Amino acid sequence: MKSINRYFAVILLIIAGVFISCEKDLDIPQQGVQGIDDYYKTDDQAMSALADLYTQWRTTYSGLIGNLDNLADDNYAGWDNMGDNAGAAHSFFTFTFDATRTTSLYINPAGMIRRANTILIRVAPDSPVKKRIHAECYVMRAWAYSYMAQLFGGVPLFESEITSENAAASRASVDEVWALVNKDFEAAISSGYLPSKSSVDDKENILRITKEAAQAWYGKALLWQGKWSDAATQLKAVINSGKYRLLGDNQLLNHKGEPDFGYVVRAKNNLSTEGLFEFNSKKDQNGNSGGAAYGSVGSCWRFDKLTYNGGIFNYAPEIDMVGNGWGGTAGVLTSLVKEFELVEGPDGFRYKGSIMSWEDFQAIGIGITGVYYATDGYWDFKTRILRSEAGGWLVGSGYEVFGLFNAWKPMRYAEVLLNAAEACLRSNDAGSALTYINEVRERAHLAPLTSVTLSDLKREKRLELYREGNRYIDLVRWEVLNDTDGIIASNMLGEQGHYISTFDGVTVNTQAYVLTQYGWKKGKHELLPIPESELNANRNIVQNPGW
């Protein structure tokens, strides 16, 4: 046996020697592949990395706006029935720390931060192109961290590339996160490398971050922090630049040539005078980058429950609307309807451009078959699916929704004016606040106010920015500020999901479903839960209170 063992030992040594020799022979540079240490050197390479970051930002924003709208008090989480929509848990506040949608609100901004850090560390700012890229990365990192701070509180802070050595960082305080946000915005704005629009009609510079876009987001972040005067300073700088203008009736004409407020977010007004920044969408069969902006298959009407002139709802020419959709969050809550009627009356410009009622349906031949789940007899109209926005190759196919080309608009000038109005009002500059809110009201065909209150401002924001991802964060921060006007999260969201309505074309059953678990809870929902995946990956992260 000893001789056999020696034999095998010799064989193993020989084999090992062969492999070591082969490994040395194969240790040669791979042809056609560039290592990370050799990349990020040229302007073109840096631009390629920046394009990837912008793509991640678009993905982050598109998921963010839908999930934040789910959490707000404007729409039901619908679909076909009680158990047919993951978003219902968010709408009813029954979600837990392992919810997929909550996870995306955390990991997508974190992905932006990781990419931004890689560029900031590896791209030397040794040319004007690269210096502008650095400024853009600071803005995007600040934008991502501002949403994480507002939604989750303190999170791990990274200003360098994330590696195995630093990945398990503990949570910074929320004040430390905000300090980095402010530092990044200030570095970008003061860099001198973010351009401004050349004129109010300049379309080219809307597709990349400008100085004024950075100031608008910085002003919003300062507003979230309660730094009213500083927020007003940044937002007034955007207003006083003269580079932006609200769209007027002539720019908001629908397919029939009539003014329609919903067209503020339609493709017809991509790259408009009102956009501070937009994620562009192209209308071409091979490179279409649409299909995810305002009017998506998951958020539109449930067309298997609707008819048109007694038949299948394929297309309603009166409203240029295509019969695509699964009914996700199209049902409008009565509370929003009442708010529109209070501010604008039953025929208000924004009201009619944002919501359709059952009476509106009947007037153009839309009917209901069976029972429509999660509606009080009102439906979203602002983000409907328009045939005119679909790629021509998809028209009539039933898949128009997957080829839309209306661009995401993360910041409109109307929001700048309303954020500025709030910052001014809270910093004892009621005169400026009144000027800004009345500019928005004038476009909405409303008489000017002679004085302005916080409640006036909150209602204007809800109606003007409906379905644009702002309402939920506003309600929570107004709660934290202890505002006394009742327009706060615990009051507006406390009953969310308690009663779910259905409608059969005759009667609204307001208590078709009665839930025992529902609603926003003070002491818990001020912050969302840190996702389970993050807790498992980093044992140094502590969960938020109440979760």
Side-chain angles (χ1 to χ4, degrees):
M1 286 293 292
K2 288 182 179 180
S3 61
I4 293 176
N5 288 339
R6 290 193 192 99
Y7 173 78
F8 280 116
V10 170
I11 294 293
L12 289 172
L13 287 171
I14 293 171
I15 292 172
V18 169
F19 275 112
I20 291 170
S21 176
C22 290
E23 184 178 341
K24 290 180 178 179
D25 291 339
L26 292 172
D27 189 15
I28 58 177
Q30 188 175 358
Q31 299 299 311
V33 175
Q34 192 168 19
I36 190 170
D37 291 331
D38 297 321
Y39 198 66
Y40 303 105
K41 303 299 184 185
T42 68
D43 286 352
D44 286 345
Q45 290 169 340
M47 284 296 297
S48 178
L50 181 70
D52 176 65
L53 177 55
Y54 269 104
T55 299
Q56 174 67 22
W57 191 11
R58 179 192 175 100
T59 299
T60 299
Y61 179 76
S62 64
L64 177 83
I65 188 175
N67 286 325
L68 291 180
D69 283 338
N70 267 346
L71 290 164
D73 60 337
D74 292 335
N75 301 91
Y76 282 105
W79 303 69
D80 185 42
N81 56 61
M82 192 66 200
D84 190 34
N85 182 4
H90 283 74
S91 186
F92 307 154
F93 292 93
T94 58
F95 58 92
T96 60
F97 68 103
D98 62 347
T100 301
R101 297 191 180 202
T102 306
T103 300
S104 72
L105 288 172
Y106 188 100
I107 65 172
N108 286 341
M112 284 180 62
I113 292 163
R114 184 174 63 252
R115 285 170 169 81
N117 285 349
T118 296
I119 296 172
L120 289 168
I121 294 300
R122 293 188 175 273
V123 173
D126 55 12
S127 72
V129 168
K130 293 176 184 174
K131 288 177 181 178
R132 181 179 178 183
I133 288 171
H134 266 241
E136 290 169 285
C137 287
Y138 283 129
V139 172
M140 284 187 261
R141 185 170 72 179
W143 184 94
Y145 267 129
S146 66
Y147 273 95
M148 294 186 79
Q150 193 64 25
L151 293 172
F152 297 97
V155 294
L157 281 183
F158 297 99
E159 294 186 69
S160 60
E161 288 187 284
I162 301 174
T163 66
S164 58
E165 286 74 24
N166 66 6
S170 300
R171 296 178 67 172
S173 71
V174 69
D175 288 339
E176 289 171 323
V177 178
W178 283 125
L180 178 59
V181 168
N182 297 346
K183 185 179 79 170
D184 279 354
F185 274 128
E186 288 166 6
I189 292 166
S190 64
S191 70
Y193 285 95
L194 290 179
S196 297
K197 287 175 61 178
S198 60
S199 69
V200 71
D201 295 312
D202 179 3
K203 296 180 180 294
E204 181 178 351
N205 281 307
I206 300 177
L207 295 173
R208 289 179 68 179
I209 296 167
T210 61
K211 178 181 177 181
E212 287 73 26
Q215 289 175 307
W217 283 311
Y218 187 23
K220 186 174 184 175
L222 291 166
L223 188 70
W224 289 353
Q225 295 170 64
K227 297 182 177 181
W228 317 124
S229 295
D230 292 339
T233 296
Q234 295 298 325
L235 295 163
K236 283 184 175 182
V238 179
I239 295 167
N240 294 336
S241 74
K243 304 293 186 183
Y244 302 93
R245 183 177 61 225
L246 295 179
L247 293 167
D249 283 2
N250 289 338
Q251 290 82 44
L252 297 174
L253 301 178
N254 61 22
H255 68 297
K256 295 187 291 185
E258 301 167 347
D260 182 335
F261 174 72
Y263 274 66
V264 294
V265 296
R266 308 315 318 190
K268 179 179 179 179
N269 285 309
N270 286 358
L271 311 182
S272 75
T273 61
E274 193 165 338
L276 271 288
F277 169 80
E278 297 182 12
F279 295 108
N280 194 26
S281 291
K282 298 182 296 183
K283 188 180 182 181
D284 69 90
Q285 187 167 1
N286 298 317
N288 187 281
S289 59
Y294 310 94
S296 65
V297 68
S299 65
C300 205
W301 304 349
R302 188 161 188 96
F303 288 93
D304 62 339
K305 300 293 185 182
L306 300 176
T307 61
Y308 177 67
N309 287 336
I312 296 173
F313 192 149
N314 289 320
Y315 177 63
E318 295 88 346
I319 52 176
D320 190 30
M321 188 160 180
V322 179
N324 297 163
W326 302 333
T329 54
V332 173
L333 292 168
T334 300
S335 66
L336 177 62
V337 174
K338 290 181 177 179
E339 197 95 290
F340 268 113
E341 292 176 345
L342 173 67
V343 175
E344 299 189 359
D347 297 312
F349 180 59
R350 288 180 303 197
Y351 181 14
K352 288 301 183 182
S354 300
I355 295 172
M356 283 194 78
S357 67
W358 171 236
E359 290 72 25
D360 295 328
F361 272 22
Q362 291 178 301
I364 62 172
I366 297 176
I368 286 181
T369 175
V371 177
Y372 198 114
Y373 170 72
T375 183
D376 294 340
Y378 302 96
W379 288 263
D380 171 66
F381 190 57
K382 183 178 180 180
T383 63
R384 64 196 183 275
I385 301 170
L386 303 183
R387 173 166 285 183
S388 59
E389 290 182 346
W393 62 97
L394 290 172
V395 170
S397 69
Y399 296 99
E400 287 94 339
V401 69
F402 297 110
L404 304 177
F405 65 101
N406 50 339
W408 285 115
K409 300 167 176 61
M411 177 69 74
R412 291 196 288 117
Y413 185 53
E415 184 185 352
V416 174
L417 290 168
L418 292 172
N419 286 342
E422 181 178 356
C424 289
L425 191 59
R426 292 187 186 272
S427 59
N428 300 314
D429 182 7
S432 294
L434 186 62
T435 297
Y436 299 147
I437 195 172
N438 277 337
E439 187 171 343
V440 175
R441 287 174 60 86
E442 181 181 8
R443 196 264 298 278
H445 301 179
L446 296 174
L449 298 173
T450 56
S451 62
V452 59
T453 66
L454 278 174
S455 296
D456 294 329
L457 176 64
K458 291 177 180 183
R459 292 189 181 101
E460 285 297 327
K461 290 194 79 172
R462 185 182 191 185
L463 306 187
E464 176 70 32
L465 303 175
Y466 163 66
R467 297 282 278 194
E468 296 182 49
N470 290 279
R471 176 69 171 175
Y472 177 72
I473 286 179
D474 277 345
L475 287 175
V476 174
R477 67 182 182 84
W478 294 332
E479 175 84 35
V480 174
L481 287 169
N482 294 314
D483 284 355
T484 58
D485 60 2
I487 307 177
I488 55 177
S490 59
N491 190 43
M492 306 302 290
L493 299 171
E495 286 289 304
Q496 192 98 322
H498 192 178
Y499 303 108
I500 311 301
S501 299
T502 58
F503 182 54
D504 62 5
V506 178
T507 304
V508 176
N509 183 351
T510 58
Q511 297 188 23
Y513 295 89
V514 181
L515 305 187
T516 57
Q517 293 184 335
Y518 58 86
W520 193 94
K521 301 293 188 295
K522 193 175 181 66
K524 177 179 182 178
H525 289 115
E526 287 89 347
L527 296 175
L528 298 179
I530 302 296
E532 181 182 34
S533 59
E534 294 301 308
L535 297 174
N536 291 338
N538 182 357
R539 296 296 180 176
N540 292 322
I541 295 182
V542 179
Q543 184 57 279
N544 280 325
W547 297 96

